[in-house]
Structures are given as C-alpha cells and as structure tokens.
Amino acid sequence: MPRGLLALAIGAFGIGTTEFVIMGMLPQVAADLGVSVSAVGLLISAYAIGVVIGAPTLTALGVRFSPRQTLVALMVVFVLGNALSALAPSYETLVAARVFTALAHGSFFGVGAVAARRLVAPERATQAISLMIVGLTLANVVGVPLGTFVAQQLSWRLVFGAIAVIGLGTIAGLLAWLPSGAGERTDLRSELAAFRRPQVWLVLGVTMVGFAALFSVYSYVSPILTDLAGLPEGWVTPVLALFGVGTTVGTLAGGRLGDRFGTSFVVAGLLASAVLLAAFALLARTPAAAIVLLVLFGAVAFAMGPVVQNGVIEAARVPGGSLVSAANQAAFNLANAIGAALGALVLSLDLGYTAPMWVGAGLALAGSALAVVARRTGRREDQRVGADVRVWRETVAGRFDAAA
C-alpha cells in the first residue's frame, strides 16, 4: 500500500471518530455544559449541516491548488475545530466548533478520493479509495468505543483533544508521504462542467437514495436490538463493534469487486441489501438471526461506498473531479438525513421497529433501479465517445492521405 494512502486513512479515522463519538458522549457533555441530552443530540444534526455546506464550498476554493495542499489545509481546519470543541466554555461555542469541524469532512473525502486514485494503477482505483475509507469504518470499531470509554472515565474534552492530535499526525503524514503531484490542478469552470452530465446526477441519486436505506435502519439500531430482538442493553456495544468489523471487511471487499464489476456491483449490492432487510424484518425477533443479518447488511452496504465514490469521479469525465467527488459526500449525508427521517416517520405512525427495515428495503430497490439507469447511461456515453474518437481518427487519416 502506498504510504500516501496510509496518511489518508489516518485522516479518515480521525474524521470518522469525531463524527460518531459524540453519540456515545451525550450524557457527559450534557452534564458538563448544563444542558439536556436532547440539546446535545442536536450537535449530530449541526455536524451534518456543516458537512453539506463545507463539501462543495471548500472543495471549490481548493481546486486551484494541488490535492496535497488542499488536504493539509482541510486538516488544519479539522485540528482547529476539534481543539475548539475540547476547550468550548459553553454549549453555543461547542455547536459552532462542531459545525466548523464538519466543514472539512466532505471535502477531505472528496479530494482524498481523487488523490488516492492517482497513487495506484487505473485498474485499482476503487481499491485505493476503499483503503482510505476503511479508516472511517475502523473509527466505529476502535475510535468510537475507546472515545466513549475515555469520556465516561475521564473527560469528553480529552477525546476531542486526542482527535486533534490525530489530525496533526495526518498533516505530518500528508506532507511526508503524499506526492505533491498526486491529482491534478484544475479550475472551477472545468469542475462545474461535470454537473452538466446526466450520469453524474444519476450516481449522486444512487448515493442519496441507496444509502438512505442504511440509515433508515442504523439510526434506530439500538432499540431494534433491545426491544425487537430482545438483547440485553449490555450486548448493544459488542454487536455494534461487530457491525463495524463487517463494514470494514465489506469496504475492503468492495474495493476489489468494484474495480472488476463497476456499477453492476452496485446494482447487485442494493438488491442484496433489499433482500437482507426483508429477511431482517421477518427474523428480527430471533437474536442470532438479527445479529447475523445486521452485520451482513452493514458489510454489503459499505462495500458499495468506494464503488459509487469512484463512479462519480469517472462519470464527471473532467480533469480532477474533486468537486463531484465532494458532492457525493454531501449526497451521503443527505442520505443520512433522509433515511433517519423516513424511519422516524413510520415509527411515529406506531408501525413498530420492523417498519424502518421495510422502508430501507424499498429505498434499496429504488436505488438499484437508479443504478441500472446510471449503468446504461454510462455505456451509451462510452459508445458515443468511442464513435467520436473513431471519426476523429478517420478524419485525420483522410487529411494525411490527401496531403500525401
């Protein structure tokens, strides 16, 4: 593995930890700042808003610079945001610090994916992206449980301070290991031109709809495991850690399979997700079956992440492609909001905890249909480009013969 990918993975680990660890520290933060747990829960939404705003904005500002320069600058924002979170004297300050931290999230993954592709041969592009994203999945296996433990035993402020140190380590790794030529300088006009392509919007739609299936269920995984599957509360953390292992394995497998099968793998993966969620809804009251199906679902869902990330860059057909790559991160966070909202809607109708699973199955089927359209559109585009190249070659050859 190129060491530049290791630096990107360390950054992804830090970002994943700072995003999700707040969920395990809600009581400690609330008690320290003198606010309700529900108020601290709004920090999750504030972070998501920051990601959606920052992904296109900071990426657009960085298109004139090399990916390494942009990534280092984003990590500086990340370090400052976590340091401010650790020192926040009030709830309002912590909200502002979390939004500021989140600004770097989507852009880092968007620009990082473009840089990762340049570190390997073209036929291994999806694998390279998966190795970066695996840092995010490992955050759920190691970073979040460890951060929660530190918050419970010592202080939640130490957790944010430690994450800031991870950011400093990422900066050092990027400067030492990421080649200055990884990726391409481009301009905003070229990057924006990619959004004229229908296939780009189709892939973004696949991300937004298909991954909403994941969050419609994962947002309510704790009560599903306890109230529906009947597991003791003490089992929830180990099961979520096992889920994290499944997502890590799935991400690595998706990198390899995505390079081989492309969008076809996404079509199959979303269909498999629909089947797994339907089975989960039918067998959720059997603890062993619920655990196995949840882990399998996580593995399949995350296996598609590197594939759609690489797919949207390829669909752009422009030098760079960092802006559409960052837009895909924004779409992923919109999927989070949509899935959680739809899950909350069916729960508010007293349809029970199996209802979000059926919602997820429907979203996965809809995402699979969009992926089919995206695949066909891409093939037609490839055929058109191939025809244009043949016409150009024939024209050049004819002029050459005429001159001779």
Side-chain angles (χ1 to χ4, degrees), residues 151-365:
Q152 292 170 345
Q153 302 301 318
L154 298 172
S155 170
W156 62 271
R157 296 180 184 274
L158 287 177
V159 177
F160 285 124
I163 295 171
V165 173
I166 294 173
L168 290 174
T170 303
I171 292 173
L174 291 170
L175 292 173
W177 298 333
L178 189 67
S180 58
E184 306 175 53
R185 282 186 175 86
T186 181
D187 59 81
L188 187 58
R189 180 176 297 179
S190 298
E191 292 281 353
L192 290 173
F195 290 96
R196 299 174 186 170
R197 311 188 71 85
Q199 193 187 2
V200 167
W201 290 102
L202 286 169
V203 177
L204 293 176
V206 170
T207 299
M208 188 169 63
V209 177
F211 281 92
L214 168 65
F215 293 108
S216 68
V217 176
Y218 188 66
S219 300
Y220 308 98
V221 66
S222 182
I224 286 173
L225 291 174
T226 55
D227 296 1
L228 199 59
L231 293 174
E233 286 189 4
W235 283 39
V236 173
T237 298
V239 171
L240 292 181
L242 192 60
F243 177 85
V245 172
T247 62
T248 301
V249 173
T251 300
L252 292 172
R256 292 183 175 275
L257 295 171
D259 280 328
R260 183 174 181 183
F261 298 108
T263 309
S264 297
F265 176 73
V266 178
V267 174
L270 287 169
L271 288 174
S273 295
V275 172
L276 287 169
L277 287 175
F280 194 8
L282 296 173
L283 300 173
R285 289 178 175 82
T286 304
I291 294 172
V292 170
L293 289 168
L294 177 64
V295 173
L296 285 175
F297 171 59
V300 172
F302 272 77
M304 294 179 288
V307 189
V308 294
Q309 192 69 45
N310 187 57
V312 78
I313 297 171
E314 292 187 341
R317 298 180 185 271
V318 296
S322 58
L323 197 55
V324 293
S325 184
N328 194 60
Q329 290 297 312
F332 187 82
N333 279 270
L334 286 173
N336 189 341
I338 293 170
L342 291 176
L345 175 62
V346 294
L347 289 175
S348 69
L349 298 174
D350 294 325
L351 297 177
Y353 282 113
T354 59
M357 303 174 199
W358 292 114
V359 169
L363 289 168
L365 289 174

Side-chain angles (χ1 to χ4, degrees), residues 30 38 71 78-79 124 146 154 162 200 215 234 257 263 299 311 322 380 389 400 403-404:
S38 60
L71 290 167
F78 177 80
V79 169
R124 296 179 58 207
L146 182 59
L154 298 172
V200 167
F215 293 108
L257 295 171
T263 309
S322 58
R380 286 198 298 267
V389 170
F400 180 79

Side-chain angles (χ1 to χ4, degrees), residues 387-400:
D388 290 344
V389 170
R390 287 194 298 272
V391 170
W392 177 81
R393 287 175 177 172
E394 291 170 358
T395 302
V396 171
R399 290 175 179 173
F400 180 79

Side-chain angles (χ1 to χ4, degrees), residues 13 17 21 138-148 159:
F13 177 82
T17 301
V21 76
L138 285 175
N140 284 309
V141 180
V142 180
V144 173
L146 182 59
T148 301
V159 177

